[in-house]
Structures are given as C-alpha cells and as structure tokens.
Amino acid sequence: MSWYPWLNHAYRQLVESHQQGRGHHAILLHAHEGTGADALVYGLSRWLMCQDKQGMKSCGKCHGCHLMLAETHSDWHVLVPEKGKNTIGVDAVRQLNEKLYEHSQQGGAKIVWLPSTESLTDAASNALLKTLEEPPQNTYFLLRCLNPENLLATLRSRCFYYFLSAPEIAVGLYWLQNQFPAISALDIQTALKLSQGAPLAAKQLLQTEKWQQRNALCQAIEQALNKCDTLSLLPLLNRDDVQESLHWLISLLSDAVKWRQKAQNYCVNQDQQTLIHHLAFAQNVKILLNIVDDWVHCRHQLLSVVGINRELLLTEQLLNWEKQLCPAQ
C-alpha cells in the first residue's frame, strides 16, 4: 500500500503513544475521504503486528510482516458489510467477538480494522461495546468514521478520538503537481479545494472522467444562463452521482456570493471565473443566497429521504431557479 508524506506526523504520534505505554486499544479515526486513512491504519497495524520492531518502523522481515505484506495475516480482521449490503449486522460482530477471545493464531497482536464505523447497525454497535470496554489482551480496534456524531455516544466514549486532518494546501499542491506535471496549477488548485484539501480525492477527480464531467456541467450552466433555460441542466444532474454534481453546482453559486462580496480570492473554482462572474451578476445577493439555500436543501432531501423521486425534485428546483433568474418570463 502506498504511503503519503503528510501522514508522517500522525503516524509518529500514534506509534509514540504506544512506545510510551499510553497507546489506547481502540482508536476512533475521524478522517475525510482522500486523506489516506487506509494507509495510516495499515502502517500502524504493520508496526503493531511486527515481531521485531525497529524503533518506529516495522522490520519488514519477520513472519508477521510477511503475512501483513501478503494481506493474509490471520489475526488481522477487516469488518465490512457483506456483499450487496450497506450495513454491518449484529451477527457479524458476534462472530468477530468469538474470534477475538480465542488465542492469537500468530502469537502476537490481534487487530480489528473497521473502515466505516457508521455502517454498524445499533444492535451491532451495542454488541461491540462490551469487547471495546474489556478487550482481550493485546487486541486493538481501529475504527474510521466520516461523521462521529452519527455514532452511538457510548461507542465513542470507549475510544480514543483522533482527527486526521487534510494536509496544508501547499503540501497537497506540491504532491499533486508531481503526480500531474502536465496539468495546469490552476486546475490542480481547484480540484484540491473542491476535495476539501484531500489530495487523494483531488487526484481521483483529476485523473478520471469526473473532471470532464464537471467541466461539461460548467459549460452547460453558462449556456443555460445565456438562454435562461435552467431546465436544460436536468440530463446532467439526473444521474446516480447527482450528489457530486450538486456539490459542484453549490460550490459555483457560493463562489458567486463571494464575488459579490468582493472576496474573489476565496473562490473555490478559480478556473471558472467567467462563469462565476456571470452567476454573480445574474441576480442580486439576496436571491443568490436563496438559490444556494434551495440547492443545499435539495441535496439534503436526496440524501435523507428514502424513495424520493429524484427527477421530479430536480425539475422543480431547476424551474424555481429559472423563475428567479427570469421573473418576467
């Protein structure tokens, strides 16, 4: 698994806590997508599993290291939803608990890696609580979450909370520029800001058709403004990845508000200044803010309302936007 330079500080902090006898058996790792949480957890796990640690590094030569490198370590347990499911049920946790109370098959540490703690059902979370409270000897839990507030308070209280922040912008830009020497600095900066500073998320955005999709949406918005025909955006928005498209749209509208407030330097979409200017002066600030609120509410509905008619909701929102842009029509 690849390693990323901005993880060095977090890795040192976590390893040093164990070296000094302060290491917690259960770490709740709060990390956004694209910050390299998987690599950090893997690196820490390799160190915990190593039978001949070299200071802060795993030796890479012992039996434990070989098994971790081959991803076949029998005491490395990854807890994820079953294929075709979005949640982890209580039975899976009970089976895991039984394994943890058995002797370590390799005679060392036992580690549970839970990449998405939010996927636990309430019953599964409760089944995990007692094991977290009274873990078997030399057993570690590494739990990652995107939104800690969505977890049971009792589960959070049994863990050591650690926030893995995105690196400084300069660090992310430097790393991405080395990854994409042919891409303009402006595009790289925009992709990084659209990804909340997470370099791996920005890399994924830049190297896939997503970047072309985002640029196509920007061009379509420009044309829709010129023709006062926002409904023409429906085919571009009414897709399974609508959340990402709405994130881009809301970001552009928010930048338009910044422009009207003479805060252009804080715009996210620095590569779309012509479009942002057009959006900024297509209506007054009050209407702009209302439009932003409407789209945020629309995105929230799509995320939270089960079985909602996506096409109907988007159509209504686009028509409302059109009325605000062209009230005389």
Side-chain angles (χ1 to χ4, degrees):
M1 183 176 288
S2 299
W3 185 255
Y4 309 104
W6 60 86
L7 298 176
N8 291 339
H9 177 68
Y11 176 81
R12 283 196 299 268
Q13 280 190 319
L14 294 171
V15 169
E16 282 178 356
S17 67
H18 283 282
Q19 289 178 323
Q20 296 167 6
R22 299 182 290 103
H24 202 284
H25 70 277
I27 296 174
L28 181 61
L29 183 64
H30 179 193
H32 300 301
E33 294 291 353
T35 52
D38 287 4
L40 176 62
V41 165
Y42 178 72
L44 178 60
S45 298
R46 278 194 57 187
W47 185 84
L48 290 169
M49 289 293 199
C50 181
Q51 297 161 350
D52 187 21
K53 297 176 178 63
Q54 308 295 308
M56 298 193 71
K57 295 182 179 180
S58 51
C59 69
K61 299 177 182 179
C62 69
H63 187 53
C65 284
H66 286 161
L67 291 174
M68 286 297 293
L69 287 167
E71 298 183 0
T72 57
H73 203 299
S74 54
D75 294 317
W76 162 260
H77 305 283
V78 182
L79 189 59
V80 294
E82 294 179 5
K83 188 175 181 180
K85 295 185 178 180
N86 296 321
T87 58
I88 300 172
V90 65
D91 290 340
V93 173
R94 286 172 178 166
Q95 291 173 13
L96 173 65
N97 286 340
E98 290 177 5
K99 291 179 182 178
L100 295 178
Y101 281 100
E102 296 173 356
H103 290 293
S104 167
Q105 295 190 34
Q106 301 301 327
K110 289 173 284 186
I111 297 176
V112 176
W113 166 223
L114 183 51
S116 176
T117 309
E118 290 97 334
S119 61
L120 290 170
T121 64
D122 285 350
S125 295
N126 285 318
L128 190 61
L129 286 178
K130 185 170 179 57
T131 311
L132 283 174
E133 193 171 71
E134 300 177 6
Q137 187 176 6
N138 209 15
T139 300
Y140 301 94
F141 297 85
L142 304 173
L143 290 70
R144 179 188 172 226
C145 67
L146 292 172
N147 301 294
E149 64 275 10
N150 292 337
L151 304 179
L152 292 181
T154 46
L155 188 146
R156 296 199 307 267
S157 69
R158 286 163 172 77
C159 300
F160 171 73
Y161 172 85
Y162 189 93
F163 178 62
L164 178 64
S165 61
E168 294 182 2
I169 291 293
V171 174
L173 287 174
Y174 179 77
W175 183 80
L176 285 166
Q177 285 166 348
N178 286 330
Q179 301 294 311
F180 300 104
I183 295 180
S184 73
L186 198 59
D187 282 358
I188 289 175
Q189 181 183 16
T190 299
L192 189 60
K193 287 185 175 182
L194 282 170
S195 305
Q196 289 77 51
L200 299 181
K203 179 181 179 181
Q204 186 176 18
L205 176 58
L206 285 166
Q207 71 181 5
T208 66
E209 63 180 16
K210 290 292 182 184
W211 194 245
Q212 287 73 34
Q213 181 184 334
R214 180 240 175 202
N215 289 339
L217 178 63
C218 292
Q219 292 173 8
I221 293 172
E222 184 73 53
Q223 294 172 3
L225 291 174
N226 290 331
K227 298 177 181 178
C228 208
D229 179 22
T230 57
L231 194 59
S232 62
L233 300 174
L234 182 61
L236 293 175
L237 296 177
N238 188 27
R239 300 160 48 111
D240 290 340
D241 57 358
V242 63
Q243 299 300 334
E244 193 161 29
S245 298
L246 290 185
H247 169 62
W248 298 332
L249 174 58
I250 293 168
S251 175
L252 288 163
L253 290 166
S254 299
D255 281 350
V257 175
K258 297 172 192 173
W259 192 289
R260 289 296 293 262
Q261 301 297 328
K262 303 186 184 304
Q264 295 95 321
N265 291 338
Y266 294 95
C267 288
V268 170
N269 301 274
Q270 292 289 340
D271 64 333
Q272 296 292 333
Q273 293 195 28
T274 301
L275 173 56
I276 294 169
H277 180 270
H278 195 166
L279 284 166
F281 292 95
Q283 53 274 306
N284 62 46
V285 175
K286 182 178 179 181
I287 293 177
L288 259 177
L289 289 169
N290 287 337
I291 292 171
V292 172
D293 286 343
D294 289 345
W295 279 112
V296 169
H297 180 64
C298 175
R299 183 176 62 180
H300 176 71
Q301 286 182 293
L302 288 170
L303 276 170
S304 59
V305 180
V306 178
I308 195 168
N309 188 318
R310 183 178 67 204
E311 183 175 6
L312 186 61
L313 180 64
L314 290 171
T315 299
E316 181 184 15
Q317 180 58 35
L318 287 166
L319 288 174
N320 287 338
W321 187 14
E322 192 169 302
K323 289 178 183 177
Q324 291 170 308
L325 281 171
C326 314
Q329 294 188 7

